[in-house]
Coordinates of all heavy atoms in Angstrom, one line a residue:
N5 N 0.8 -14.8 -11.3 CA 0.1 -13.5 -11.3 C 0.3 -12.6 -10.0 O -0.5 -11.8 -9.7 CB -1.4 -13.7 -11.6 CG -1.6 -13.8 -13.1 OD1 -0.8 -13.3 -13.9 ND2 -2.6 -14.6 -13.5
I6 N 1.3 -13.0 -9.2 CA 1.5 -12.2 -8.0 C 2.6 -11.1 -8.4 O 3.5 -11.3 -8.9 CB 2.2 -13.1 -6.9 CG1 1.1 -14.3 -6.6 CG2 2.4 -12.3 -5.7 CD1 -0.3 -13.8 -6.3
L7 N 2.3 -9.9 -7.9 CA 3.1 -8.7 -8.3 C 3.5 -8.1 -6.9 O 2.7 -8.2 -6.0 CB 2.4 -7.8 -9.1 CG 2.1 -8.2 -10.7 CD1 1.4 -7.2 -11.4 CD2 3.4 -8.7 -11.4
V8 N 4.5 -7.2 -7.0 CA 4.9 -6.4 -5.8 C 4.9 -4.9 -6.4 O 5.4 -4.7 -7.5 CB 6.2 -6.9 -5.4 CG1 6.7 -5.8 -4.2 CG2 6.2 -8.2 -4.8
C9 N 4.3 -4.2 -5.7 CA 4.5 -2.6 -6.0 C 4.8 -1.9 -4.9 O 4.7 -2.3 -3.7 CB 3.1 -2.2 -6.6 SG 1.9 -1.8 -5.4
R10 N 5.4 -0.7 -5.2 CA 5.8 0.3 -4.1 C 4.9 1.5 -4.2 O 4.7 2.0 -5.2 CB 7.1 0.4 -4.2 CG 8.1 -0.6 -3.5 CD 9.6 0.0 -3.5 NE 10.4 -1.0 -2.8 CZ 10.7 -2.2 -3.3 NH1 10.5 -2.5 -4.6 NH2 11.5 -3.1 -2.5
L11 N 4.5 1.9 -3.1 CA 3.7 3.3 -3.1 C 4.6 4.3 -2.1 O 5.1 3.8 -1.1 CB 2.4 3.2 -2.4 CG 1.5 2.1 -3.1 CD1 0.1 2.1 -2.3 CD2 1.3 2.2 -4.6
H12 N 4.7 5.5 -2.7 CA 5.2 6.6 -1.8 C 4.0 7.0 -1.0 O 3.0 7.5 -1.6 CB 5.8 7.6 -2.6 CG 6.5 8.7 -1.7 ND1 7.6 8.6 -0.9 CD2 6.0 9.9 -1.5 CE1 7.8 9.5 -0.2 NE2 6.9 10.5 -0.5
I13 N 4.0 7.3 0.3 CA 3.0 7.7 1.1 C 3.3 9.0 1.8 O 4.4 9.0 2.5 CB 2.5 6.6 2.1 CG1 2.1 5.3 1.3 CG2 1.4 7.1 3.0 CD1 1.9 4.1 2.1
K14 N 2.5 10.0 1.6 CA 2.8 11.2 2.3 C 1.8 11.4 3.5 O 0.7 11.0 3.5 CB 2.5 12.5 1.4 CG 3.4 12.5 0.3 CD 3.1 13.7 -0.6 CE 3.9 13.6 -1.9 NZ 3.7 14.9 -2.8
G15 N 2.4 12.2 4.5 CA 1.5 12.6 5.7 C 1.6 11.6 6.9 O 1.1 11.9 8.0
M16 N 2.5 10.5 6.9 CA 2.6 9.7 8.1 C 3.6 10.3 9.0 O 4.8 10.5 8.6 CB 3.2 8.3 7.5 CG 2.1 7.5 6.8 SD 2.7 5.8 6.4 CE 4.3 6.1 5.6
T17 N 3.3 10.5 10.2 CA 4.2 11.0 11.1 C 4.6 10.2 12.3 O 5.5 10.5 13.1 CB 3.6 12.4 11.7 OG1 2.4 12.2 12.2 CG2 3.5 13.4 10.6
C18 N 3.8 9.0 12.4 CA 4.1 8.1 13.6 C 3.9 6.7 13.2 O 3.3 6.4 12.2 CB 3.3 8.4 14.8 SG 1.6 8.1 14.7
T19 N 4.3 5.7 14.2 CA 4.1 4.4 13.8 C 2.7 3.9 13.8 O 2.4 2.9 13.1 CB 4.9 3.5 14.6 OG1 4.6 3.8 16.0 CG2 6.4 3.7 14.6
S20 N 1.8 4.7 14.5 CA 0.3 4.4 14.4 C -0.1 4.8 13.1 O -1.1 4.0 12.6 CB -0.3 5.4 15.5 OG -1.6 5.1 15.6
C21 N 0.3 5.7 12.5 CA 0.0 6.1 11.0 C 0.3 4.9 10.1 O -0.4 4.6 9.3 CB 0.7 7.3 10.6 SG 0.4 9.0 11.5
T22 N 1.5 4.4 10.3 CA 2.0 3.2 9.4 C 1.1 2.0 9.6 O 0.8 1.4 8.7 CB 3.5 2.9 9.6 OG1 3.7 2.5 11.0 CG2 4.4 4.1 9.5
S23 N 0.8 1.9 10.9 CA -0.2 0.8 11.1 C -1.5 0.9 10.6 O -2.3 0.0 10.1 CB -0.3 0.5 12.8 OG 0.8 0.3 13.3
T24 N -2.2 2.1 10.4 CA -3.3 2.4 10.0 C -3.2 2.1 8.3 O -4.2 1.5 7.8 CB -3.7 3.9 10.0 OG1 -3.8 4.2 11.5 CG2 -4.9 4.2 9.3
V25 N -2.1 2.5 7.8 CA -2.0 2.2 6.4 C -1.9 0.7 6.0 O -2.5 0.3 5.1 CB -0.8 3.0 5.8 CG1 -0.5 2.7 4.4 CG2 -1.0 4.6 5.9
E26 N -1.0 0.1 6.8 CA -0.9 -1.3 6.7 C -2.1 -2.0 6.7 O -2.5 -2.9 6.0 CB 0.1 -2.0 7.7 CG 1.5 -1.9 7.3 CD 2.5 -2.5 8.3 OE1 2.1 -2.9 9.3 OE2 3.7 -2.4 8.1
S27 N -2.9 -1.8 7.8 CA -4.3 -2.4 8.0 C -5.1 -2.2 6.8 O -6.0 -3.0 6.2 CB -4.8 -1.9 9.2 OG -4.1 -2.3 10.3
A28 N -5.2 -0.9 6.3 CA -6.1 -0.5 5.2 C -5.7 -1.4 3.9 O -6.6 -1.7 3.2 CB -5.9 0.9 4.9
L29 N -4.3 -1.7 3.8 CA -3.9 -2.4 2.7 C -4.2 -4.0 2.8 O -4.7 -4.6 1.9 CB -2.6 -2.1 2.3 CG -2.1 -0.9 1.8 CD1 -0.6 -0.6 1.9 CD2 -2.6 -0.8 0.3
Q30 N -4.0 -4.4 4.1 CA -4.1 -5.8 4.3 C -5.6 -6.3 4.1 O -5.7 -7.6 3.9 CB -3.5 -6.2 5.7 CG -2.0 -6.3 5.6 CD -1.4 -6.1 7.0 OE1 -2.0 -6.0 8.0 NE2 0.1 -6.3 6.9
V31 N -6.6 -5.5 4.3 CA -7.9 -5.9 4.3 C -8.5 -5.9 2.7 O -9.6 -6.4 2.5 CB -8.9 -5.2 5.2 CG1 -8.5 -5.3 6.6 CG2 -8.9 -3.7 4.7
V32 N -7.6 -5.3 1.9 CA -8.1 -5.4 0.4 C -8.0 -6.7 -0.1 O -6.9 -7.4 -0.1 CB -7.1 -4.3 -0.4 CG1 -7.5 -4.5 -1.9 CG2 -7.4 -2.9 0.2
P33 N -9.0 -7.2 -0.7 CA -9.0 -8.5 -1.3 C -7.8 -8.6 -2.4 O -7.8 -7.7 -3.2 CB -10.3 -8.7 -2.0 CG -11.3 -7.8 -1.2 CD -10.5 -6.6 -0.8
G34 N -7.2 -9.6 -2.3 CA -6.1 -9.8 -3.4 C -4.6 -9.3 -2.8 O -3.6 -9.8 -3.3
V35 N -4.7 -8.7 -1.7 CA -3.4 -8.3 -1.0 C -3.1 -9.5 -0.2 O -3.6 -10.0 0.6 CB -3.5 -7.1 -0.1 CG1 -2.2 -6.9 0.6 CG2 -3.8 -5.8 -1.1
Q36 N -1.6 -9.8 -0.4 CA -1.1 -11.0 0.3 C -0.2 -10.6 1.4 O -0.1 -11.3 2.4 CB -0.4 -11.8 -0.6 CG -1.1 -12.6 -1.8 CD -0.3 -13.7 -2.4 OE1 0.9 -13.6 -2.5 NE2 -1.1 -14.6 -3.1
R37 N 0.4 -9.4 1.2 CA 1.3 -8.9 2.2 C 1.4 -7.4 2.0 O 1.7 -6.9 1.0 CB 2.7 -9.6 2.0 CG 3.6 -9.6 3.5 CD 4.9 -10.1 3.2 NE 5.9 -9.1 3.1 CZ 6.7 -8.6 4.2 NH1 6.3 -9.2 5.4 NH2 7.4 -7.7 4.1
A38 N 1.5 -6.7 3.0 CA 1.8 -5.2 3.0 C 2.6 -4.7 4.1 O 2.3 -5.2 5.3 CB 0.4 -4.4 3.0
S39 N 3.7 -4.1 3.8 CA 4.5 -3.6 4.9 C 4.7 -2.1 4.5 O 5.0 -1.7 3.4 CB 5.9 -4.3 5.1 OG 6.6 -4.3 3.9
V40 N 4.8 -1.3 5.6 CA 4.9 0.1 5.5 C 6.0 0.6 6.3 O 6.0 0.3 7.5 CB 3.6 1.0 5.8 CG1 3.8 2.3 5.7 CG2 2.3 0.4 5.1
A41 N 6.8 1.4 5.8 CA 8.1 1.9 6.4 C 7.9 3.5 6.6 O 7.8 4.2 5.7 CB 9.3 1.6 5.8
L42 N 7.9 3.8 8.0 CA 7.8 5.3 8.2 C 9.0 6.0 7.7 O 8.8 7.1 7.1 CB 7.7 5.4 9.8 CG 7.5 6.9 10.3 CD1 6.3 7.5 9.7 CD2 7.4 6.7 11.8
A43 N 10.2 5.4 7.9 CA 11.4 6.2 7.6 C 11.6 6.6 6.1 O 12.0 7.7 5.7 CB 12.7 5.4 8.0
T44 N 11.2 5.6 5.3 CA 11.3 5.8 3.8 C 9.9 6.4 3.2 O 9.9 6.7 2.0 CB 11.7 4.5 3.1 OG1 10.6 3.5 3.4 CG2 13.0 4.0 3.5
E45 N 8.9 6.4 4.0 CA 7.4 6.6 3.6 C 7.1 5.8 2.4 O 6.4 6.4 1.4 CB 7.5 8.2 3.2 CG 7.8 9.1 4.2 CD 7.6 10.5 3.9 OE1 8.4 11.1 2.9 OE2 6.7 11.3 4.3
E46 N 7.3 4.6 2.5 CA 7.1 3.6 1.4 C 6.4 2.4 1.9 O 6.6 1.8 2.9 CB 8.4 3.1 0.6 CG 8.8 4.3 -0.3 CD 9.6 3.6 -1.5 OE1 10.0 2.4 -1.4 OE2 10.1 4.3 -2.3
A47 N 5.4 2.0 1.1 CA 4.7 0.7 1.3 C 5.1 -0.3 0.2 O 5.2 0.1 -1.0 CB 3.2 1.0 1.2
E48 N 5.3 -1.5 0.6 CA 5.6 -2.5 -0.3 C 4.4 -3.6 -0.1 O 4.2 -4.0 0.8 CB 7.0 -3.2 0.1 CG 7.2 -4.3 -1.0 CD 8.6 -4.9 -0.8 OE1 8.7 -5.8 0.0 OE2 9.6 -4.4 -1.4
I49 N 3.8 -3.8 -1.3 CA 2.6 -4.7 -1.3 C 2.8 -5.7 -2.3 O 3.1 -5.6 -3.5 CB 1.4 -3.7 -1.7 CG1 1.3 -2.6 -0.7 CG2 0.2 -4.6 -1.6 CD1 1.3 -1.4 -1.5
R50 N 2.5 -6.9 -1.7 CA 2.5 -8.2 -2.7 C 1.0 -8.5 -2.9 O 0.2 -8.7 -2.0 CB 3.2 -9.3 -2.1 CG 3.6 -10.4 -3.1 CD 4.6 -11.3 -2.5 NE 3.9 -12.3 -1.4 CZ 4.2 -13.6 -1.5 NH1 5.2 -14.1 -2.1 NH2 3.5 -14.4 -0.5
Y51 N 0.6 -8.6 -4.2 CA -0.9 -8.8 -4.4 C -1.0 -9.5 -5.8 O -0.1 -9.7 -6.5 CB -1.5 -7.4 -4.7 CG -0.9 -6.6 -5.8 CD1 -1.7 -6.4 -7.1 CD2 0.2 -5.9 -5.7 CE1 -1.2 -5.7 -8.1 CE2 0.7 -5.1 -6.9 CZ 0.0 -5.1 -8.1 OH 0.5 -4.4 -9.1
D52 N -2.3 -10.2 -5.8 CA -2.7 -10.9 -7.0 C -3.4 -9.9 -7.9 O -4.3 -9.3 -7.8 CB -3.7 -11.9 -6.4 CG -4.0 -12.9 -7.6 OD1 -3.8 -12.6 -8.7 OD2 -4.3 -14.1 -7.2
R53 N -2.7 -9.9 -9.2 CA -3.2 -8.9 -10.1 C -4.6 -9.4 -10.7 O -5.1 -8.6 -11.5 CB -2.1 -8.7 -11.2 CG -1.7 -9.9 -12.0 CD -0.7 -9.4 -13.2 NE -1.3 -8.6 -14.2 CZ -1.9 -9.1 -15.2 NH1 -2.0 -10.4 -15.4 NH2 -2.3 -8.3 -16.2
R54 N -4.9 -10.6 -10.6 CA -6.2 -11.1 -11.0 C -7.3 -10.5 -10.2 O -8.4 -10.6 -10.6 CB -6.2 -12.6 -11.0 CG -5.2 -13.3 -12.0 CD -5.1 -14.6 -11.8 NE -4.5 -15.0 -10.5 CZ -4.0 -16.2 -10.1 NH1 -4.1 -17.3 -10.9 NH2 -3.6 -16.5 -8.9
V55 N -7.0 -10.1 -9.0 CA -8.0 -9.7 -8.0 C -8.1 -8.1 -7.9 O -9.2 -7.5 -7.6 CB -7.7 -10.3 -6.7 CG1 -8.8 -10.0 -5.7 CG2 -7.7 -11.8 -6.8
V56 N -6.8 -7.4 -7.8 CA -6.8 -6.1 -7.5 C -5.8 -5.4 -8.3 O -4.7 -6.1 -8.8 CB -6.6 -5.9 -6.0 CG1 -5.3 -6.5 -5.5 CG2 -6.9 -4.5 -5.4
T57 N -6.0 -4.1 -8.5 CA -4.9 -3.3 -9.4 C -4.2 -2.4 -8.5 O -4.6 -2.1 -7.2 CB -5.6 -2.4 -10.5 OG1 -6.4 -1.5 -9.8 CG2 -6.6 -3.2 -11.3
A58 N -3.0 -1.9 -9.0 CA -2.2 -1.1 -8.1 C -2.9 0.3 -7.9 O -2.8 0.8 -6.8 CB -0.9 -0.8 -8.9
T59 N -3.7 0.7 -8.9 CA -4.5 1.8 -8.6 C -5.5 1.7 -7.5 O -5.8 2.7 -6.8 CB -5.3 2.2 -10.0 OG1 -4.2 2.3 -11.0 CG2 -6.0 3.5 -10.0
Q60 N -6.1 0.6 -7.4 CA -7.1 0.3 -6.3 C -6.4 0.4 -4.9 O -6.8 0.8 -4.0 CB -7.7 -1.0 -6.5 CG -8.8 -1.1 -7.6 CD -9.4 -2.2 -7.8 OE1 -8.8 -3.2 -8.1 NE2 -10.7 -2.4 -7.8
L61 N -5.0 -0.1 -5.0 CA -4.2 0.1 -3.7 C -4.0 1.4 -3.4 O -4.1 1.8 -2.2 CB -3.0 -0.7 -3.9 CG -3.1 -2.2 -4.2 CD1 -1.8 -2.9 -4.4 CD2 -3.7 -3.0 -3.1
V62 N -3.7 2.2 -4.4 CA -3.5 3.7 -4.1 C -4.8 4.2 -3.3 O -4.8 5.0 -2.5 CB -3.2 4.5 -5.4 CG1 -3.3 5.9 -5.2 CG2 -1.8 4.0 -6.0
H63 N -6.0 3.9 -4.0 CA -7.2 4.4 -3.4 C -7.5 3.9 -2.1 O -7.9 4.7 -1.2 CB -8.4 4.1 -4.3 CG -8.3 4.7 -5.7 ND1 -8.8 4.2 -6.8 CD2 -7.9 6.1 -6.1 CE1 -8.6 5.1 -8.0 NE2 -8.1 6.2 -7.4
A64 N -7.1 2.6 -1.8 CA -7.3 2.2 -0.4 C -6.6 3.0 0.6 O -6.9 3.3 1.7 CB -6.9 0.7 -0.3
V65 N -5.3 3.4 0.3 CA -4.3 4.2 1.1 C -5.1 5.6 1.3 O -5.3 6.1 2.4 CB -3.0 4.3 0.6 CG1 -2.1 5.2 1.4 CG2 -2.4 3.0 0.6
E66 N -5.5 6.1 0.2 CA -6.2 7.5 0.3 C -7.5 7.5 1.2 O -7.6 8.4 1.8 CB -6.3 8.0 -1.2 CG -5.0 8.3 -1.7 CD -4.9 9.0 -3.1 OE1 -5.9 8.9 -3.8 OE2 -4.1 9.6 -3.3
E67 N -8.2 6.4 1.1 CA -9.2 6.4 2.0 C -9.1 6.2 3.4 O -9.8 6.5 4.2 CB -10.2 5.1 1.4 CG -11.2 5.5 0.3 CD -11.8 4.2 -0.2 OE1 -12.1 3.3 0.5 OE2 -12.1 4.3 -1.5
S68 N -7.8 5.7 3.7 CA -7.4 5.7 5.1 C -6.7 7.0 5.5 O -6.3 7.3 6.7 CB -6.4 4.5 5.4 OG -5.0 5.0 4.8
G69 N -6.8 8.1 4.7 CA -6.4 9.5 5.0 C -5.0 9.8 4.8 O -4.5 11.0 5.1
F70 N -4.3 9.1 3.8 CA -3.0 9.6 3.5 C -2.9 9.5 1.8 O -3.7 8.9 1.1 CB -1.9 8.5 4.0 CG -2.0 8.4 5.5 CD1 -2.8 7.5 6.1 CD2 -1.2 9.3 6.3 CE1 -2.9 7.6 7.5 CE2 -1.2 9.3 7.6 CZ -2.1 8.4 8.3
E71 N -1.9 10.4 1.4 CA -1.7 10.6 0.0 C -0.8 9.6 -0.5 O 0.2 9.3 0.1 CB -1.2 12.0 -0.2 CG -1.2 12.4 -1.7 CD -0.8 13.8 -2.0 OE1 -0.9 14.7 -1.1 OE2 -0.2 13.9 -3.0
A72 N -1.2 8.8 -1.5 CA -0.3 7.8 -2.0 C 0.1 8.0 -3.5 O -0.8 8.4 -4.2 CB -1.0 6.5 -1.9
I73 N 1.4 7.6 -3.8 CA 1.7 7.8 -5.3 C 2.3 6.4 -5.7 O 3.3 5.9 -4.8 CB 2.8 8.9 -5.4 CG1 2.1 10.3 -5.2 CG2 3.3 9.0 -6.9 CD1 3.0 11.3 -4.7
L74 N 2.0 5.8 -6.8 CA 2.5 4.6 -7.3 C 3.9 4.9 -7.6 O 4.2 5.7 -8.5 CB 1.8 4.0 -8.4 CG 2.1 2.8 -8.9 CD1 2.1 1.7 -8.0 CD2 1.2 2.4 -10.1
V75 N 5.0 4.1 -7.0 CA 6.3 4.3 -7.4 C 6.7 3.2 -8.5 O 7.3 3.5 -9.5 CB 7.3 4.2 -6.2 CG1 8.7 4.3 -6.5 CG2 6.8 5.2 -5.1
T76 N 6.5 2.0 -8.3 CA 6.9 1.1 -9.2 C 5.6 0.0 -9.3 O 4.9 -0.3 -8.3 CB 8.1 0.2 -8.8 OG1 7.8 -0.3 -7.4 CG2 9.4 1.1 -8.9
Ligands
LIG222 MO1 -0.9 10.0 15.9 MO2 0.2 9.4 13.4 O1 -2.4 11.1 15.7 O2 -0.8 10.7 12.5 S1 -1.5 8.4 14.4 S2 0.9 11.1 14.6

């Protein structure tokens, strides 16, 4: 029940921004790994679908101050 999803994240302009988004994702229960790339504006998240949904991951990013769109 482990899935990987990608989010497109708008508004990140520096590596501190990417750290903020990574931290916001990593503290969500069910998230096993989150990596955010500034160059591609993408986040890749490995998560347990029994604990958290991709939509909740989008909301977690938005609460950290960035716009997120589910890609896959
Ligand atoms: Mo520094 Mo990134 O304020 O927004 S964290 S550019």
Side-chain angles (χ1 to χ4, degrees):
N5 280 331
I6 303 304
L7 295 179
V8 174
C9 76
R10 283 190 170 76
L11 307 182
H12 181 73
I13 298 167
K14 292 185 189 176
M16 297 188 300
T17 54
C18 72
T19 54
S20 181
C21 296
T22 63
S23 296
T24 298
V25 175
E26 269 181 6
S27 300
L29 287 165
Q30 280 162 357
V31 298
V32 176
V35 170
Q36 294 191 338
R37 199 185 111 88
S39 62
V40 178
L42 182 59
T44 57
E45 299 185 294
E46 279 203 354
E48 185 178 87
I49 305 120
R50 199 166 76 143
Y51 66 101
D52 187 336
R53 62 179 290 271
R54 295 168 297 192
V55 180
V56 67
T57 66
T59 301
Q60 286 174 309
L61 298 175
V62 168
H63 289 149
V65 172
E66 292 187 333
E67 276 171 30
S68 77
F70 299 89
E71 194 178 331
I73 298 162
L74 185 60
V75 178
T76 53

